[in-house]
Amino acid sequence: MNGSDILEMDSASDQEDFDDARLGIIEGEFVYPQEFLPTYQSIKEGSVVNKVNQVEYNGKPDSLFFNDGVRRIDFILVYEDEDRKDFKKKHTFQRYKRRREYFEASLMKMGLELEATPSVHNDNLIFVKVHVPWDVQCTYAEVLHIKVPIELNKISSKPSVWTIFNCFTKYFKPDENLIKKETDYFTAPFEKDRQECFQIVNQDQFFTPSMRSRMAYYILCRAPYEVRANNKKFGITKLLDSGVYKAAYPLHDCRFNVRSEEESCPNERFLLYKEWAHPKNFYKMQPLDLIRRYYGEKIGIYYAWLGFYTMMLAIAAVVGLCCFIYGYQIQETSTWSKEVCNPNIGGKLVMCPQCDLCNYWMLNSTCDTSKTLIIFDNFGTLVFAVFMSVWVTVFLEFWKRYQAELEYEWDTVEFLEQEEPPRPEYEAKCIYERTNPVTGVQEKVPYTFCGRCFRLSIGIGTVLFWIMLILVSIVAIIVYRLAVFVSLSVSLKNAGDLKNLEPIKEYVTPQMATSVTAGILSFVVIMVLNILYERVAIWITNFELPRTRTDYENSLTLKMFLFQFVNYYSSCFYIAFIKGKIVGYPGEPVKLLGRFRNEECDPGGCLIELTTQLAIIMGGKAIWNNIQEVLLPWVKNLISRHFTRPTSENVDPPRWEQDFQLQPVSKLGLFYEYLEMVIQFGFVTLFVASFPLAPVLALLNNLFEIRVDAWKMTTQFRRNVPEKAQDIGAWQPILQGVTILAVATNAMIIAFTSDMIPRLVYYWSFSLYEGHTNHSMQGYINSSLSFFNTSDFVDTKINAQVDRNPNITICRYRDFRFPPGHPRQYEHNMSYWHVIAAKMAFIIVVEHIVYLTKFILSYVIPDVPYTIKERIKREKYLTQVILHETNLKLVTKRLKPISEGISSHLDISNKKELELSEYGQM
């Protein structure tokens, strides 16, 4: 097929028009008036269009160029040849073919160059190579505000305080012989009419491959594929969704584990794998400049944040591990745990039943639990909670400084919203006019002020509805736990000796069975709601119609995080602040819905339950996520390679076909990677008072996570379209909100979930009233347990039904209440109010101290280092000087022929006047 072949775009019949309209509804496509789209050149309806020139594969598997070896491939489009489809489906696929050929013709008219090559793996597949010529590069570099070098930066950076540690840190840096440091230039946004200002040595290499991929994708997203009258359908995204194309992606530059044989190939993917993604480099720092150059600023800033977060976690992990070791050392020497385990103290304290169908139990049965609790509930935990409250502030403030350095080095300091192009979906619906408040010019927008408010209201209402749905499901699961616990207590008791379950009979208890079934039910509900809400969140964000991709991702991020926050943390908040807090006392328990008795804490206390919950969630989530991230892409690619074997074993597949076998990049990009880390950050900060090992687990997970993500991105996925980004977007205010909430949650955990405050009140106050001459913890257990007369049970039939010992007349329970026989029996005594006052005072004092410390630190530590501010100002000044001098040279150069012409004209005039005067004298 020659490039000169043309296709006549016949006008469709009325029936075909109806079928196309109906097809558009089914595929979710939209038809937009042409005048509302960007003013790009399009082919008129009924005109002829050029077909793409198709060539055979030249047998060069490492080539990144067209068959001529000159034009570089900037993007790849993949489709199935419609002429090879079944006859029954040809009518549908012929419509796809018309759209595809019109789209490709539009691309060529917009300046792109295309070349098609059949697949060596699959006879049905055709690969279309896209090249952006120099003139088109210049046009869209200016449209996208791409910054390029104007002069070598000769400003010497001031030596950092870390320079003295270079002799140690050099072993943790990537090999500088392989990954060389980039030359530092002054940069400015490219302007097509001022090319003389820029350092253009070689046009083919001036714009990097990632820049050219951005330009190609920008054009692909805006090229029309069908025009009817005044209506236009456009964009590669819609063609991918409808199946016209199977894939669209930029090329990797080589294989990840083998250097390319092409001399001009930079082999950046190979270098990234060798020095970054390989597991042996887990201890090395990341080559962020190369990551940014190859994948773009958006991915580079994610790995920079992840690496910085992991480095800061190392400090928190060391302190948390010290607190854990301290608690482990004192678990055998703790006075109150000794009293629990003492047969003469804990062994003689009969505890009241914790449910309607439970029996009495002895306090010393919780000996092991109380020892374990000491590990996590001690004075060191209090110190660690305060330390973590300060740590999160230092982490965020120093991250802002590091981020400012990256902004300067990566030329995103002046990255404004006006520089980011609008999304095609936004441009397509611009039907209203308004005056831009910044520029003062008339522009078109897709909605009025009232329309925008309506869209936001619908979005907020939907998000709140789904959050309420999660809360309702949590309440339903709590009711389920209470109901099943009671029914299982009766059914398992009436089941005899459970001979069929002899090996596990001792483990089959009402508590175990209820926890397992409720956990499975909760997991299923969470997974179902996750799947449904993800679709709802995307639909809401599409309905809101954000202007730029950054706005789109920020809006979607906020919605998804709010949902995930409630989904993941609700069980922890329930255990920490609700469970066991409103239970009444044995004779008059509080019942949910008037029927189900509220859950009480584990005999060892709710803190140990919260610790267990956090350990299971963090450990299980980390293991499952990493297995999923490693195994799933690898298995999918293995299956794909197995079913797409080459037709000729002697032919090595080309670079574009090797990439096609890899997994496609998710439409949400790094969203799930950020979400995973931010949820982990919440576990590390919100509930760290109950689990000081959380930073240790997070550190180990992140060391593995960095290399897993790098390996996955480098070896298992196609290359993403590079995107520009200045910071981590909406995740930064989310992190700040989590840190503010963490102070309150940790203070409340220590006050209300832990036994820290009651023990301190007893040590400093109540112990002296117990007859001790000095402050002591002896007698704390007896002081913290109230008395209950078993004859005061309301339902006496339960005692007989459960076969409770009738000789037990007094049992004990956790609370501060007056004993039976007192005029105010079973009411809270003064000890209770002293403890409550101490808890409230602790929360107020700790919160004010920590918040004041956070404010001082955030004020003292500037967001942008002073040296970076100086360099930014210096660079701006020199850039203006350079551009001004260049303009003067250009003006002088252009005026020189004119001045020479004027001077020569004056000389001639003077000569003529002289001749005339001489002639007059004669």
Side-chain angles (χ1 to χ4, degrees):
M1 187 179 297
N2 298 324
S4 58
D5 294 341
I6 57 176
L7 173 70
E8 180 70 23
M9 296 293 291
D10 297 327
S11 58
S13 63
D14 293 341
Q15 180 63 34
E16 189 173 349
D17 283 343
F18 175 77
D19 291 340
D20 283 352
R22 189 169 56 181
L23 177 67
I25 294 173
I26 294 173
E27 293 173 355
E29 297 175 344
F30 300 94
V31 181
Y32 306 111
Q34 183 175 357
E35 62 267 24
F36 302 144
L37 295 174
T39 54
Y40 298 124
Q41 300 179 24
S42 59
I43 303 170
K44 294 182 179 180
E45 180 185 0
S47 62
V48 295
V49 296
N50 291 329
K51 285 188 177 181
V52 178
N53 184 35
Q54 188 171 121
V55 297
E56 295 298 323
Y57 170 48
N58 59 8
K60 297 180 179 179
D62 291 335
S63 177
L64 301 175
F65 296 86
F66 281 25
N67 273 16
D68 58 14
V70 177
R71 292 173 293 174
R72 185 183 180 90
I73 301 172
D74 298 314
F75 224 87
I76 290 291
L77 305 176
V78 188
Y79 68 91
E80 287 187 287
D81 191 353
E82 292 84 0
D83 294 333
R84 296 178 182 269
K85 295 294 181 182
D86 296 337
F87 180 77
K88 295 180 181 179
K89 299 181 179 179
K90 273 196 173 183
H91 177 72
T92 302
F93 286 108
Q94 287 300 321
R95 188 182 301 117
Y96 286 176
K97 182 178 181 179
R98 287 198 302 272
R99 291 177 175 178
R100 175 177 52 76
E101 291 181 338
Y102 187 93
F103 179 73
E104 292 171 357
S106 300
L107 292 177
M108 288 187 286
K109 184 153 188 175
M110 294 167 70
L112 299 186
E113 297 178 3
L114 308 181
E115 182 180 83
T117 302
S119 169
V120 300
H121 279 180
N122 189 331
D123 294 335
N124 293 338
L125 290 181
I126 304 294
F127 292 84
V128 180
K129 294 168 277 187
V130 179
H131 170 72
V132 184
W134 170 252
D135 189 59
V136 180
Q137 291 178 38
C138 294
T139 300
Y140 286 94
E142 188 170 354
V143 171
L144 295 174
H145 298 270
I146 293 177
K147 288 188 174 183
V148 289
I150 55 175
E151 188 173 289
L152 189 67
N153 186 353
K154 298 179 181 179
I155 301 177
S156 59
S157 58
K158 295 181 180 180
S160 171
V161 293
W162 303 105
T163 307
I164 58 176
F165 298 105
N166 279 345
C167 56
F168 302 104
T169 58
K170 66 180 181 180
Y171 300 105
F172 301 97
K173 294 181 179 179
D175 190 348
E176 294 182 357
N177 295 323
L178 294 175
I179 302 178
K180 301 185 182 297
K181 189 175 181 180
E182 295 184 5
T183 307
D184 192 11
Y185 287 96
F186 293 121
T187 60
F190 185 81
E191 294 182 27
K192 188 176 180 179
D193 297 334
R194 302 170 67 183
Q195 296 184 29
E196 298 86 353
C197 300
F198 303 99
Q199 299 284 318
I200 303 177
V201 179
N202 186 342
Q203 290 184 354
D204 294 333
Q205 298 179 358
F206 181 67
F207 294 107
T208 64
S210 60
M211 293 176 183
R212 296 166 64 155
S213 297
R214 279 182 62 200
M215 300 174 197
Y217 187 69
Y218 183 87
I219 299 172
L220 289 171
C221 287
R222 288 158 175 79
Y225 61 83
E226 189 171 70
V227 175
R228 294 283 180 84
N230 291 326
N231 296 326
K232 179 187 292 186
K233 298 179 182 180
F234 70 99
I236 185 63
T237 304
K238 294 184 181 299
L239 294 177
L240 289 170
D241 293 340
S242 61
V244 176
Y245 286 99
K246 294 182 67 68
Y249 51 89
L251 283 180
H252 283 297
D253 61 359
C254 65
R255 299 186 182 187
F256 70 87
N257 55 352
V258 180
R259 279 187 176 273
S260 173
E261 296 181 359
E262 296 284 334
E263 294 182 0
S264 59
C265 181
N267 287 291
E268 291 177 347
R269 185 189 185 195
F270 172 77
L271 296 177
L272 284 172
Y273 174 75
K274 188 172 183 180
E275 291 297 311
W276 177 48
H278 200 284
K280 70 177 183 180
N281 297 318
F282 73 95
Y283 65 92
K284 284 189 176 182
M285 292 185 285
Q286 303 180 88
L288 294 177
D289 289 334
L290 184 58
I291 297 171
R292 170 250 180 174
R293 178 181 174 85
Y294 191 73
Y295 287 112
E297 287 83 1
K298 191 169 189 177
I299 289 181
I301 201 74
Y302 164 72
Y303 283 104
W305 175 81
L306 181 57
F308 185 82
Y309 169 49
T310 303
M311 182 183 68
M312 292 293 292
L313 270 178
I315 302 173
V318 170
V319 179
L321 188 61
C322 292
C323 291
F324 175 80
I325 294 173
Y326 169 76
Y328 185 82
Q329 292 292 330
I330 66 170
Q331 65 173 337
E332 297 293 340
T333 60
S334 173
T335 303
W336 68 273
S337 64
K338 285 182 178 180
E339 291 185 351
V340 172
C341 299
N342 192 331
N344 295 323
I345 302 176
K348 293 183 179 181
L349 292 176
V350 179
M351 303 298 292
C352 297
Q354 290 191 308
C355 68
D356 291 338
L357 299 177
C358 296
N359 213 328
Y360 302 108
W361 52 283
M362 306 305 295
L363 182 61
N364 65 347
S365 63
T366 64
C367 176
D368 294 335
T369 308
S370 63
K371 288 183 178 180
T372 305
L373 181 62
I374 283 295
I375 300 176
F376 303 101
D377 190 4
N378 56 71
F379 184 73
T381 304
L382 171 61
V383 175
F384 183 60
V386 175
F387 166 80
M388 286 300 295
S389 299
V390 177
W391 175 88
V392 292
T393 302
V394 173
F395 162 68
L396 286 179
E397 293 302 320
F398 276 98
W399 162 247
K400 291 176 185 176
R401 291 172 62 85
Y402 183 48
Q403 186 173 255
E405 295 177 9
L406 293 178
E407 288 176 14
Y408 172 75
E409 294 175 2
W410 292 355
D411 286 328
T412 59
V413 174
E414 297 178 352
F415 177 63
L416 303 175
E417 184 182 355
Q418 288 80 3
E419 295 183 12
E420 188 176 3
R423 297 187 308 128
E425 295 83 357
Y426 178 90
E427 291 176 318
K429 291 193 175 184
C430 291
I431 58 177
Y432 301 101
E433 288 191 354
R434 71 153 190 176
T435 302
N436 189 299
V438 178
T439 61
V441 299
Q442 289 293 115
E443 64 177 6
K444 290 189 175 182
V445 294
Y447 35 64
T448 62
F449 177 77
C450 294
R452 178 174 176 79
C453 293
F454 172 74
R455 290 170 182 266
L456 292 178
S457 300
I458 294 293
I460 294 172
T462 308
V463 171
L464 293 177
F465 168 78
W466 277 85
I467 290 177
M468 293 301 298
L469 188 62
I470 299 174
L471 297 177
V472 169
S473 67
I474 294 169
V475 174
I477 292 173
I478 293 173
V479 173
Y480 167 84
R481 291 171 61 98
L482 300 176
V484 170
F485 180 76
V486 174
S487 61
L488 288 178
S489 298
V490 177
S491 60
L492 291 179
K493 183 179 184 303
N494 296 334
D497 295 332
L498 298 176
K499 295 181 179 180
N500 295 332
L501 301 175
E502 187 65 32
I504 58 172
K505 180 177 65 176
E506 59 179 312
Y507 303 106
V508 181
T509 62
Q511 293 90 339
M512 183 273 291
T514 302
S515 298
V516 171
T517 56
I520 294 173
L521 178 62
S522 178
F523 175 76
V524 171
V525 170
I526 287 174
M527 295 305 295
V528 170
L529 290 178
N530 269 342
I531 296 172
L532 294 176
Y533 184 77
E534 179 179 328
R535 297 181 180 179
V536 171
I538 293 174
W539 177 84
I540 296 171
T541 310
N542 290 335
F543 178 74
E544 291 176 354
L545 204 63
R547 179 179 180 274
T548 63
R549 181 162 181 83
T550 299
D551 293 338
Y552 181 90
E553 292 181 353
N554 290 346
S555 179
L556 181 62
T557 295
L558 183 60
K559 294 180 182 64
M560 288 296 293
F561 177 77
L562 288 175
F563 177 81
Q564 297 285 358
F565 182 90
V566 178
N567 215 5
Y568 277 104
Y569 299 144
S570 56
S571 60
C572 294
F573 276 104
Y574 168 71
I575 294 174
F577 306 123
I578 298 177
K579 185 177 180 181
K581 304 299 184 291
I582 310 174
V583 295
Y585 61 94
E588 192 175 338
V590 176
K591 294 190 175 183
L592 187 64
L593 303 178
R595 179 181 176 185
F596 304 105
R597 180 172 173 177
N598 277 0
E599 281 188 293
E600 294 190 27
C601 290
D602 184 88
C606 279
L607 186 71
I608 195 65
E609 289 190 46
L610 180 58
T611 302
T612 305
Q613 181 86 350
L614 284 171
I616 292 173
I617 293 177
M618 285 194 65
K621 184 175 178 293
I623 294 171
W624 173 249
N625 284 342
N626 285 317
I627 290 176
Q628 221 175 8
E629 291 179 2
V630 173
L631 288 182
L632 284 183
W634 180 76
V635 170
K636 287 180 180 179
N637 289 334
L638 191 66
I639 295 173
S640 175
R641 285 192 294 268
H642 177 75
F643 286 103
T644 56
R645 293 178 179 176
T647 54
S648 174
E649 295 182 358
N650 297 326
V651 178
D652 291 331
R655 171 81 266 136
W656 50 86
E657 200 151 352
Q658 296 175 37
D659 285 3
F660 179 69
Q661 295 175 2
L662 300 177
Q663 292 299 302
V665 179
S666 170
K667 289 184 179 180
L668 295 178
L670 294 169
F671 171 78
Y672 287 109
E673 306 296 341
Y674 271 118
L675 180 62
E676 180 186 351
M677 289 296 103
V678 173
I679 293 294
Q680 179 204 88
F681 181 80
F683 283 122
V684 169
T685 55
L686 291 174
F687 308 101
V688 74
S690 64
F691 190 39
L693 285 181
V696 178
L697 293 180
L699 175 63
L700 296 176
N701 173 76
N702 289 5
L703 290 174
F704 188 66
E705 180 79 17
I706 292 175
R707 305 304 161 179
V708 166
D709 286 349
W711 174 85
K712 178 180 64 175
M713 184 173 290
T714 308
T715 66
Q716 303 301 310
F717 281 83
R718 298 171 190 160
R719 188 173 181 177
N720 67 297
V721 179
E723 296 182 58
K724 200 171 183 180
Q726 187 179 25
D727 48 36
I728 60 176
W731 298 108
Q732 189 141 321
I734 287 175
L735 291 175
Q736 291 173 339
V738 170
T739 59
I740 293 172
L741 182 61
V743 177
T745 55
N746 283 298
M748 292 176 68
I749 286 173
I750 293 174
F752 295 108
T753 310
S754 165
D755 282 340
M756 178 75 65
I757 302 302
R759 291 202 299 266
L760 289 175
V761 171
Y762 179 84
Y763 180 83
W764 293 105
S765 179
F766 295 164
S767 61
L768 300 178
Y769 296 101
E770 296 290 336
H772 300 289
T773 56
N774 296 319
H775 299 290
S776 173
M777 286 300 298
Q778 293 181 0
Y780 168 74
I781 293 299
N782 186 63
S783 174
S784 62
L785 298 176
S786 298
F787 295 85
F788 180 76
N789 193 332
T790 57
S791 61
D792 293 333
F793 277 118
V794 178
D795 193 349
T796 56
K797 294 180 180 180
I798 293 180
N799 291 331
Q801 184 179 357
V802 183
D803 194 20
R804 291 174 178 168
N805 189 346
N807 296 325
I808 296 177
T809 58
I810 295 294
C811 64
R812 309 292 292 274
Y813 61 98
R814 285 173 165 265
D815 211 339
F816 296 96
R817 294 178 182 267
F818 289 110
H822 191 278
R824 298 173 58 191
Q825 66 175 3
Y826 305 136
E827 293 183 14
H828 288 120
N829 56 26
M830 290 304 298
S831 298
Y832 170 82
W833 298 110
H834 285 155
V835 170
I836 288 295
K839 290 180 177 181
M840 298 306 296
F842 171 82
I843 292 175
I844 294 172
V845 171
V846 168
E847 284 189 352
H848 279 70
I849 292 176
V850 173
Y851 282 134
L852 179 61
T853 306
K854 288 168 67 69
F855 173 77
I856 293 174
L857 287 174
S858 61
Y859 180 78
V860 170
I861 304 174
D863 292 346
V864 181
Y866 180 73
T867 54
I868 296 297
K869 288 182 179 179
E870 283 186 332
R871 297 185 69 182
I872 291 173
K873 292 177 181 179
R874 175 68 174 165
E875 180 171 337
K876 277 186 177 181
Y877 169 75
L878 291 179
T879 301
Q880 292 174 356
V881 170
I882 292 168
L883 294 177
H884 179 67
E885 290 178 351
T886 305
N887 288 336
L888 287 178
K889 291 178 182 178
L890 288 174
V891 172
T892 305
K893 183 178 179 181
R894 290 171 181 173
L895 289 178
K896 187 175 181 181
I898 300 175
S899 61
E900 290 177 352
I902 294 174
S903 61
S904 62
H905 178 73
L906 290 174
D907 291 341
I908 294 172
S909 298
N910 292 333
K911 186 176 180 181
K912 287 183 177 180
E913 289 180 358
L914 181 61
E915 291 176 352
L916 288 173
S917 63
E918 291 178 352
Y919 179 78
Q921 291 177 358
M922 292 174 63

